[in-house]
Amino acid sequence: MTEERGFEPDVIAYSTVLDCLCKKGLLKEAHGLFFEMIKKGSKPNVVTYSILIDALCKQGMISKAEDIVGIMTKQGIKPNVVTYSILIDALCKKGMISKAENIVGTMTKQGIKLDVVTYSIFIDTLCKMGEVSKAEVVVDAMRKQGIEPTVVTYSTLIDSLCKNGMVSEAEFIVGTMRKQGVEPNVITYNILMDSLCKISMVSEAEDIFGRMRKQGIEPDVVTYNTLMQGMFQLRRVSNAYELWRKMLASGQVPNLVTYSIFLDGSCKNGKLEMALKVFQDMWNSRLQLDTIFYTILIDGLCKAGHIEVAKELFCQLSVSDLKPTVYTYCIMINGLCKEGLPDEAYRLFKSMGDNDCLPNSCCYNVMIRGFFRNDYTSKATPLLTEMVASHDHFISDDSHSSIGLPSDEEQDWGTENDMLLILCLFDTEDSAEERKSSSPLEVPAYEYVYDAAERLQGPEGSSVELTVQTGPEIKHLALTQAKISLNPVKSRLCEVPGSEKNYPKIGYIKLTSFNQKASGIETAKIWLDKGVIVYICDNHGVRDIYDTDGSSAIAASEPLAVLVNMDTASASEILTGALKDNKRAVLFGEPTYGKGKIQSVFQLSDGSRLAVTVSHYETPANNNINKVYF
């Protein structure tokens, strides 16, 4: 439009349009406009470059962002602290700390001083990686450079110290920041109080609560929630109720989390009447109730033996717009089984689909244990088979508890020793030597394995002839092509011979291979409540991190033993390393294969192929899988 009227867009106009395109996620168009701008002689400035670099980094396209930095340097435009901070932030979020440190070195050489934002990015990343001591060194470096850490910087460090169990060190940092003239805010104190309450130091958390009031810092709803939950956990019910009254008197409005804590704490401490009263008040006040509140009350009623009242509340939930979750069903099924009503529990289990609720591993375990508890052994074993057949559902199951809903560890699903799970990560039917001694003949020795595989494929119903040698014996086979569904998972429920009826059972699961539905990383998520699963590393350090937040966990607390041998390799070793380094399982067997390379295959001009190792897998403890024998 401007060109039609005889006007050429200047750098400000281009930068403005570029920024709009990037914010709308139209990166391709933004990229095109950027190079059109250069082509037409409008020289981008540092702001223009930074806009594009920021957009690329947010899309995870860090290598392209680095290319743009290279272009701007060649064009004589020096990146400033903002440009570098954008790139450092993106690298740190990917765990590529060494590359980020290299950029800091470049900044130092160019005389660019790091600002508080850049320092804070490093501190936050180091804290998330558990490198607290290094983070403290960075804080000291900030001060030496004359840059005073902000309350956010200090709070980040305090949070990391608390998460690593270093509460006394965190309290020391609070004292240090005050000496430096940086006053802690309500968030800083909430972090410290939460950590103290989690290790049952509620009295110390109360002292901080009082200190906040004296310093003129008004506690917020998170402060009250944290302290109230700590009191309930120590069965200081009267103190929790008093804090509830203080909260209401101060004008602080309870949120849904507050009500969840209050109901859960009252139920667990046997104060069902108080819980029911508050629930009724919530109902009368027309607060937005959700399934969590119903679930907490149903759990309390079941544990107290009030199964009829629990059933009534469950029915009320079932006919409402909310509907029970999978965990609500677990609690109700468990309650019915404990009261000697396994048939009613099983009917409820089978009706889960009526509410579009698929049973997960927890539900199956509750029902199976309920059958054993009530001498319904004949029904338990078929249900275990059904459970294994439903494995694909468990992998994609995204149902998980929220604040206020009791976790699996808090539930009375049975004692830890009710069942030992054994996970076998090799095929027991053929030994490694037997497989090595069998090989197809009449395939050229130079032929690449994937080419050979392609030659063996064909339309369904067609035939293929093979010559196979096993030792000195040669066999000629005629095979018919067919679609075959392979199930890599086999399982059975075992009893120790000669044991008593209530003796712990052994669940044996054999995983002979991995496929798209059962990958090493996804399988690890089933067993872990949280933590790193595997690192992907190259010459520059950590390139990518695969971890889990526990949302996919369905068996994160059952005793687990893992069997491995010399054939346990690659994806199996990723799973083994994750379970071992997260102290989730005990390993038994032989040293594993040690295969952890990631390779790219390149076609050469003579038809041959070159396999180049581009990266490798490392366990959560930073052991190279390609060299480790578990």
Side-chain angles (χ1 to χ4, degrees):
M1 190 75 173
T2 52
E3 291 178 13
E4 289 176 4
R5 294 179 181 178
F7 297 102
E8 280 290 336
D10 60 9
V11 64
I12 297 174
Y14 272 116
S15 297
T16 302
V17 176
L18 192 73
D19 186 46
C20 291
L21 290 170
C22 289
K23 284 178 178 177
K24 289 183 177 181
L26 301 172
L27 207 53
K28 185 178 179 181
E29 289 81 353
H31 204 260
L33 181 67
F34 175 78
F35 285 102
E36 178 191 318
M37 176 182 181
I38 296 174
K39 188 177 179 181
K40 291 192 174 181
S42 184
K43 192 175 182 181
N45 59 20
V46 68
V47 175
T48 318
Y49 279 106
S50 297
I51 289 169
L52 189 57
I53 290 166
D54 181 51
L56 289 166
C57 287
K58 283 178 179 176
Q59 293 291 325
M61 301 165 72
I62 299 176
S63 59
K64 287 190 176 181
E66 290 176 307
D67 291 341
I68 297 296
V69 173
I71 291 171
M72 70 185 292
T73 304
K74 288 178 181 178
Q75 293 291 328
I77 308 295
K78 289 185 178 180
N80 60 16
V81 66
V82 175
T83 315
Y84 281 126
S85 293
I86 291 167
L87 200 54
I88 288 170
D89 182 48
L91 290 167
C92 285
K93 284 178 179 176
K94 284 285 186 181
M96 301 163 75
I97 192 75
S98 58
K99 291 191 76 171
E101 287 172 343
N102 290 338
I103 291 176
V104 172
T106 302
M107 292 174 70
T108 304
K109 289 178 183 177
Q110 294 178 358
I112 301 172
K113 288 186 177 181
L114 277 72
D115 60 7
V116 67
V117 175
T118 314
Y119 275 114
S120 296
I121 290 167
F122 263 105
I123 292 166
D124 181 57
T125 302
L126 289 167
C127 286
K128 286 177 179 177
M129 293 174 68
E131 301 283 356
V132 185
S133 56
K134 287 185 180 180
E136 290 180 291
V137 170
V138 176
V139 172
D140 290 336
M142 286 181 72
R143 293 201 199 96
K144 289 177 183 178
Q145 292 292 328
I147 301 172
E148 190 57 43
T150 65
V151 65
V152 175
T153 312
Y154 278 116
S155 295
T156 300
L157 185 58
I158 290 165
D159 182 49
S160 183
L161 288 165
C162 288
K163 284 177 179 176
N164 284 277
M166 304 164 71
V167 183
S168 57
E169 290 87 341
E171 291 185 285
F172 177 78
I173 295 295
V174 172
T176 301
M177 65 188 290
R178 295 199 70 197
K179 288 178 183 177
Q180 297 292 331
V182 181
E183 285 297 324
N185 59 18
V186 65
I187 296 172
T188 315
Y189 281 124
N190 284 346
I191 291 167
L192 196 55
M193 286 177 64
D194 179 61
S195 183
L196 289 166
C197 287
K198 283 178 178 175
I199 57 175
S200 301
M201 296 178 67
V202 180
S203 297
E204 288 78 358
E206 287 181 278
D207 292 340
I208 292 176
F209 183 85
R211 197 190 313 165
M212 290 173 65
R213 305 294 291 268
K214 288 179 182 178
Q215 292 175 9
I217 300 172
E218 192 63 34
D220 61 11
V221 66
V222 176
T223 318
Y224 282 104
N225 291 348
T226 301
L227 193 53
M228 192 183 304
Q229 189 164 37
M231 290 174 171
F232 274 126
Q233 286 174 349
L234 291 183
R235 300 191 178 279
R236 291 173 48 182
V237 182
S238 58
N239 295 123
Y241 287 165
E242 179 62 30
L243 185 65
W244 168 269
R245 286 189 285 270
K246 283 183 179 179
M247 179 181 184
L248 297 176
S250 70
Q252 187 67 250
V253 180
N255 60 15
L256 292 177
V257 176
T258 319
Y259 282 111
S260 295
I261 292 168
F262 192 91
L263 290 174
D264 187 46
S266 297
C267 288
K268 286 182 177 177
N269 286 280
K271 304 292 183 181
L272 281 174
E273 289 185 7
M274 177 62 77
L276 288 167
K277 180 181 180 302
V278 171
F279 185 82
Q280 189 62 48
D281 289 343
M282 293 171 68
W283 183 274
N284 294 336
S285 301
R286 296 189 177 183
L287 284 174
Q288 188 66 42
L289 297 175
D290 62 18
T291 308
I292 291 174
F293 299 113
Y294 281 97
T295 304
I296 290 170
L297 273 180
I298 290 168
D299 179 51
L301 290 164
C302 286
K303 285 181 176 177
H306 301 306
I307 194 68
E308 293 302 323
V309 183
K311 285 163 62 177
E312 185 179 328
L313 199 61
F314 185 89
C315 289
Q316 182 181 330
L317 174 61
S318 299
V319 298
S320 70
D321 294 332
L322 297 174
K323 304 299 179 185
T325 66
V326 65
Y327 290 99
T328 320
Y329 275 104
C330 282
I331 290 166
M332 197 67 225
I333 291 166
N334 188 56
L336 290 166
C337 289
K338 284 180 67 177
E339 293 297 318
L341 301 167
D343 291 317
E344 188 172 348
Y346 188 58
R347 285 196 296 272
L348 185 63
F349 176 85
K350 298 300 286 184
S351 70
M352 291 179 68
D354 296 341
N355 281 320
D356 297 324
C357 195
L358 288 173
N360 65 4
S361 175
C362 185
C363 282
Y364 275 100
N365 281 333
V366 170
M367 195 65 251
I368 290 168
R369 289 170 180 169
F371 278 146
F372 278 120
R373 184 184 292 158
N374 290 277
D375 295 328
Y376 276 52
T377 309
S378 60
K379 290 188 176 182
T381 306
L383 195 59
L384 179 62
T385 305
E386 181 184 320
M387 176 183 177
V388 174
S390 303
H391 176 73
D392 292 344
H393 292 312
F394 302 156
I395 290 178
S396 61
D397 184 8
D398 59 359
S399 304
H400 58 280
S401 59
S402 303
I403 292 175
L405 180 61
S407 66
D408 287 353
E409 293 178 359
E410 295 168 333
Q411 286 298 330
D412 180 24
W413 307 132
T415 64
E416 281 189 348
N417 296 320
D418 274 359
M419 185 182 291
L420 167 66
L421 293 172
I422 298 177
L423 180 61
C424 179
L425 295 179
F426 56 87
D427 192 344
T428 55
E429 294 174 4
D430 296 311
S431 69
E433 292 302 318
E434 287 173 331
R435 282 193 297 276
K436 285 178 183 176
S437 65
S438 298
S439 59
L441 295 181
E442 299 182 6
V443 173
Y446 58 82
E447 185 163 323
Y448 192 59
V449 63
Y450 293 132
D451 290 337
E454 284 182 12
R455 287 179 60 187
L456 294 175
Q457 295 177 14
E460 188 174 359
S462 63
S463 61
V464 60
E465 293 184 359
L466 293 178
T467 303
V468 179
Q469 179 176 354
T470 304
E473 184 183 358
I474 296 178
K475 292 182 179 180
H476 299 279
L477 303 175
L479 305 178
T480 302
Q481 303 278 8
K483 290 182 179 178
I484 300 174
S485 178
L486 298 177
N487 183 5
V489 183
K490 299 178 182 179
S491 70
R492 66 176 181 266
L493 186 64
C494 310
E495 293 187 16
V496 179
S499 62
E500 298 176 0
K501 181 179 66 175
N502 294 325
Y503 197 86
K505 304 294 185 298
I506 297 176
Y508 179 78
I509 303 169
K510 183 166 73 172
L511 190 56
T512 56
S513 64
F514 287 92
N515 55 31
Q516 288 181 338
K517 292 183 178 179
S519 70
I521 293 170
E522 291 303 314
T523 304
K525 291 180 180 180
I526 294 173
W527 303 99
L528 297 172
D529 57 355
K530 62 178 179 179
V532 173
I533 295 173
V534 69
Y535 296 108
I536 295 179
C537 306
D538 55 21
N539 292 336
H540 300 289
V542 177
R543 195 184 77 191
D544 214 342
I545 302 173
Y546 287 92
D547 57 9
T548 179
D549 59 4
S551 60
S552 299
I554 58 178
S557 59
E558 287 82 356
L560 178 64
V562 178
L563 306 182
V564 296
N565 72 357
M566 62 184 293
D567 285 342
T568 303
S570 193
S572 295
E573 288 177 295
I574 290 174
L575 174 59
T576 303
L579 297 177
K580 178 178 180 289
D581 289 354
N582 283 287
K583 303 187 187 306
R584 174 64 185 89
V586 180
L587 270 55
F588 295 94
E590 303 172 338
T592 60
Y593 190 90
K595 182 179 184 296
K597 292 180 181 178
I598 302 174
Q599 296 182 318
S600 291
V601 179
F602 299 92
Q603 176 87 40
L604 302 181
S605 58
D606 63 355
S608 61
R609 289 176 171 84
L610 176 66
V612 179
T613 300
V614 294
S615 53
H616 64 272
Y617 294 110
E618 288 189 6
T619 72
N622 294 113
N623 294 313
N624 188 337
I625 289 177
N626 204 57
K627 298 177 181 178
V628 171
Y629 300 89
F630 293 106

